Amino acid sequence: MTFAMFEMRQETDYVRHHIQKVTAFFAAMRHFRDQIREQGHQVVYYTLDDDRNQQDLSRNVMQVIESVGAEQWGYQWPDEYRLDQQLIEMRKKWELPCEVVDTEHFYTSREEFGDIFEGKSSFLMENFYRKMRKKHDVLMSGDQPVGGEWNYDAENRKKFPKKETPPDPYILERDVSDIVSMIETAGVQTIGEINPLSFQWPISRAEGEKSLTYFIEELLFQFGSYQDAMTSRSDFLFHSRLSFLLNSKILSPREVVAKAEAVYLENKESMGISNVEGFIRQILGWREYMRGLYWHQMPEYAQLNYFEHENELPNYYWTGDTKMNCMQHAIRNSLDNAYAHHIQRLMITGNFALLAGVHPDHVEAWYLGVYIDAIEWVEMPNTRGMSQFADGGIVATKPYIASANYIHKMSDYCKDCYYDNKKKVGERACPFNSLYWRFIKQHENKLSNNYRMSMMYRIWDKYEEEEKNNILNQAELYLKQIDDL
Ligand SMILES: Cc1cc2nc3c(=O)[nH]c(=O)nc-3n(C[C@H](O)[C@H](O)[C@H](O)COP(=O)(O)OP(=O)(O)OC[C@H]3O[C@@H](n4cnc5c(N)ncnc54)[C@H](O)[C@@H]3O)c2cc1C
Ligand code: SF4
């Protein structure tokens, strides 16, 4: 059997990616190629600058089939709809026998989500998660959840204390200058920064195992408590930074969950169930749920724009050049590290794009490009669904919007900001405040019947007309100057 692997312009160019993301994928592929060659497998590998490279999957595969005289070919089901369609077309066009195998890197198959929710009109993550816990016997004591509760979300919302020192992240240093110069010479358009002599992300199985061990030993015991916290003193806090390893299939979700569960069962008192459950919920719950929903809803999902938003993404998403301190931190983390943790993605950059009425296509192009872990099957339901509510409530029961109140509560950003988190109108008023109320007012027809939003409409109704007008005028002014905020 001959394995074929290609670095292709088809993949580097379908969106503008972060330079660290392109580098990480190529470095991981090359490492995997060497590893399986050492095991005795035959591999045809085209680097991006290989003369044989046609830069297109279909043409490259046919070229390899012809060069080795293969009488059949096969592939593993891809994770993305785009590639799935391309491979289906190739199968149809060619008359060669083809074997397709399923991936072992998820708990669920593509169809399982549809089976679980058959005949249901809503797809609650919590119901899915409980089924996964039972089916895979994770954190279970018989048919009951370990600790007595299924979900400790309420304990996952602590602010990171001033007096605490943030933990050190597990950072690697690898020379990737050959890959980076190849990408630059080829003229691939990328986003963000990289230090080619000291690449920080794990790309091999051995590095992946070390990253996981570091997380389990040094960070997991506080993961849940500070899951939603944000601080200017750390880009990563207690987050695992395992998403690239999981999405590129260097680590399997089963081994990550099994390790987390095992360490909890050995150290119940010191570890705390809420930390471990909070972590396992992200992988066994959210990650599998998002994948299932993606395959259940595609291709229509990619077009959804519930609020009919049309605006452009402000310039500072590409530069970090803004006076809003929270946005500056979240965007700088994204550009410097190809990373931002969940709450920065959801409640800072995602929240702002939603309040600013940005078209979900533009928001998605940014999220799909900028993060090291961004692959459409997981990026799309998170961005279009959870963050932009463009699906009208399939993923989330209400839009994830917040004013400066929430950001101030969960971070230390506001104290060093040019803007005043307490002000809605006037000089230096925090833009999140007036844009928040404008959003509430603008989408009254679509949201006022949502029982989780009703309190916000009651608060809005209590404002005097004059104050309402001042807030709405302030928001319009900010929208006009959106690139200068
Ligand atoms: C707008 C937006 C876009 C996102 N885009 C992506 C993306 O392209 N790729 C991606 O892997 N995740 C995405 N996420 C989910 C989440 O933010 C990242 O998985 C997480 O920040 C990765 O960092 P970590 O490994 O340190 O995660 P941790 O906080 O340590 O969490 C552990 C693991 O749980 C999984 N996980 C956590 N939350 C989610 C979630 N909501 N959906 C799916 N898996 C989850 C990830 O595999 C992650 O590695 C997005 C979230 C938002 C709000
Ligand atoms: S004041 Fe407003 S813009 Fe500044 S950090 Fe706080 S929430 Fe962000």
Side-chain angles (χ1 to χ4, degrees):
M1 188 191 298
T2 302
F3 289 96
M5 297 173 75
F6 315 116
E7 300 169 5
M8 291 178 292
R9 291 305 291 257
Q10 161 187 324
E11 297 305 304
T12 58
D13 295 2
Y14 68 83
V15 73
R16 198 167 149 202
H17 303 280
H18 199 294
I19 178 68
Q20 293 187 34
K21 178 183 177 189
V22 185
T23 303
F25 272 99
F26 288 174
M29 285 165 66
R30 290 179 186 195
H31 197 277
F32 185 65
R33 168 200 62 191
D34 296 344
Q35 199 186 334
I36 58 176
R37 273 188 183 149
E38 270 166 32
Q39 291 166 359
H41 296 288
Q42 195 179 330
V43 188
V44 174
Y45 190 99
Y46 293 176
T47 54
L48 196 71
D49 56 359
D50 191 313
D51 289 340
R52 297 167 298 172
N53 197 337
Q54 310 276 318
Q55 309 295 349
D56 169 85
L57 182 64
S58 162
R59 294 205 296 261
N60 279 349
V61 174
M62 186 41 83
Q63 188 165 281
V64 175
I65 288 174
E66 285 171 357
S67 71
V68 301
E71 287 171 3
Q72 58 175 352
W73 70 294
Y75 63 89
Q76 189 186 75
W77 272 359
D79 300 330
E80 282 176 296
Y81 188 83
R82 174 182 64 87
L83 277 176
D84 200 44
Q85 291 301 300
Q86 189 178 13
L87 285 156
I88 289 169
E89 283 306 310
M90 286 157 64
R91 251 163 53 196
K92 277 195 209 145
K93 204 165 69 188
W94 301 343
E95 280 171 8
L96 278 178
C98 176
E99 189 189 356
V100 187
V101 293
D102 203 351
T103 167
E104 293 176 354
H105 282 84
F106 293 97
Y107 279 94
T108 45
S109 69
R110 280 186 191 175
E111 295 78 28
E112 201 167 332
F113 184 92
D115 297 342
I116 290 174
F117 290 105
E118 200 181 350
K120 305 255 165 49
S121 55
S122 72
F123 310 112
L124 274 183
M125 193 319 261
E126 186 62 24
N127 298 348
F128 174 87
Y129 172 54
R130 290 183 189 190
K131 281 198 177 4
M132 289 296 114
R133 289 267 297 272
K134 284 187 197 156
K135 178 170 175 188
H136 298 284
D137 195 22
V138 175
L139 288 181
M140 294 298 295
S141 168
D143 63 353
Q144 291 305 307
V146 166
E149 303 289 334
W150 289 100
N151 186 318
Y152 292 84
D153 200 20
E155 291 175 38
N156 299 154
R157 295 175 193 151
K158 289 194 186 130
K159 186 167 179 162
F160 189 64
K162 264 193 230 147
K163 57 179 181 359
E164 296 273 333
T165 308
D168 290 329
Y170 183 66
I171 298 283
L172 289 143
E173 289 182 5
R174 174 186 284 270
D175 183 349
V176 289
S177 29
D178 52 343
I179 298 181
V180 174
S181 74
M182 179 196 69
I183 294 168
E184 284 170 2
T185 308
V188 176
Q189 297 296 303
T190 57
I191 325 166
E193 303 296 328
I194 191 166
N195 177 352
L197 295 174
S198 176
F199 187 58
Q200 57 169 317
W201 291 99
I203 55 92
S204 70
R205 176 72 199 168
E207 289 170 354
E209 284 171 358
K210 281 191 199 146
S211 304
L212 176 56
T213 303
Y214 184 84
F215 170 70
I216 297 279
E217 288 177 358
E218 307 292 333
L219 306 173
L220 178 59
F221 74 109
Q222 300 268 50
F223 175 88
S225 306
Y226 299 121
Q227 204 172 327
D228 285 3
M230 296 175 281
T231 171
S232 47
R233 292 183 291 140
S234 166
D235 287 332
F236 310 110
L237 267 174
F238 294 90
H239 293 276
S240 68
R241 300 169 86 245
L242 294 177
S243 48
F244 172 75
L245 290 163
L246 283 162
N247 296 355
S248 61
K249 302 180 177 171
I250 294 170
L251 289 182
S252 128
R254 286 175 198 270
E255 70 180 315
V256 175
V257 166
K259 275 211 165 177
E261 183 180 21
V263 79
Y264 168 71
L265 294 175
E266 282 162 22
N267 306 280
K268 279 188 178 167
E269 294 308 316
S270 57
M271 190 60 81
I273 180 74
S274 65
N275 288 304
V276 178
E277 187 281 320
F279 179 69
I280 288 179
R281 189 182 342 122
Q282 306 311 314
I283 296 180
L284 181 62
W286 280 110
R287 188 169 184 272
E288 296 289 327
Y289 172 84
M290 291 303 199
R291 167 176 142 92
L293 190 120
Y294 174 79
W295 283 105
H296 190 255
Q297 298 285 320
M298 281 299 278
E300 293 78 12
Y301 202 81
Q303 308 302 325
L304 300 178
N305 182 1
Y306 183 65
F307 293 125
E308 299 173 53
H309 282 167
E310 292 296 334
N311 290 345
E312 297 291 329
L313 205 62
N315 287 336
Y316 31 82
Y317 277 80
W318 307 97
T319 62
D321 190 7
T322 164
K323 298 191 282 298
M324 292 180 281
N325 199 31
C326 52
M327 289 284 282
Q328 198 266 328
H329 273 281
I331 296 170
R332 189 202 39 75
N333 195 6
S334 310
L335 298 176
D336 287 356
N337 299 313
Y339 179 90
H341 56 76
H342 186 70
I343 218 70
Q344 286 183 315
R345 298 186 200 196
L346 186 65
M347 299 313 293
I348 305 292
T349 45
N351 177 22
F352 190 78
L354 181 55
L355 296 183
V358 180
H359 194 297
D361 286 358
H362 305 323
V363 186
E364 265 207 48
W366 188 77
Y367 279 98
L368 188 55
V370 80
Y371 293 121
I372 190 135
D373 53 37
I375 307 183
E376 192 185 80
W377 68 265
V378 53
E379 171 278 324
M380 184 181 286
N382 268 296
T383 305
R384 200 170 279 265
M386 184 188 268
S387 154
Q388 299 302 297
F389 203 77
D391 62 7
I394 297 175
V395 170
T397 48
K398 78 174 192 43
Y400 280 94
I401 47 165
S403 65
N405 266 349
Y406 173 85
I407 296 171
H408 182 53
K409 194 171 96 191
M410 294 311 299
S411 79
D412 56 11
Y413 296 143
C414 298
K415 70 179 168 46
D416 298 321
C417 187
Y418 168 88
Y419 293 105
D420 184 340
N421 61 293
K422 289 186 280 314
K423 281 175 84 172
K424 295 185 194 64
V425 294
E427 210 186 332
R428 300 200 176 197
C430 169
F432 280 85
N433 292 338
S434 52
L435 291 176
Y436 176 88
W437 287 113
R438 177 187 175 275
F439 179 92
I440 293 282
K441 167 81 184 117
Q442 186 192 12
H443 297 302
E444 200 167 0
N445 288 346
K446 288 180 171 155
L447 295 175
S448 58
N449 287 335
N450 179 324
Y451 77 100
R452 295 195 64 201
M453 298 295 293
S454 52
M455 192 173 86
M456 298 330 293
Y457 283 97
R458 282 203 299 276
I459 295 175
W460 176 246
D461 286 341
K462 282 188 190 144
Y463 283 127
E464 300 290 334
E465 276 316 297
E466 191 186 346
E467 190 165 11
K468 282 183 182 171
N469 286 335
N470 290 342
I471 294 172
L472 296 176
N473 288 340
Q474 180 75 58
E476 291 308 325
L477 185 72
Y478 277 154
L479 282 177
K480 277 200 196 104
Q481 308 167 345
I482 195 90
D483 281 327
D484 302 321
L485 294 181

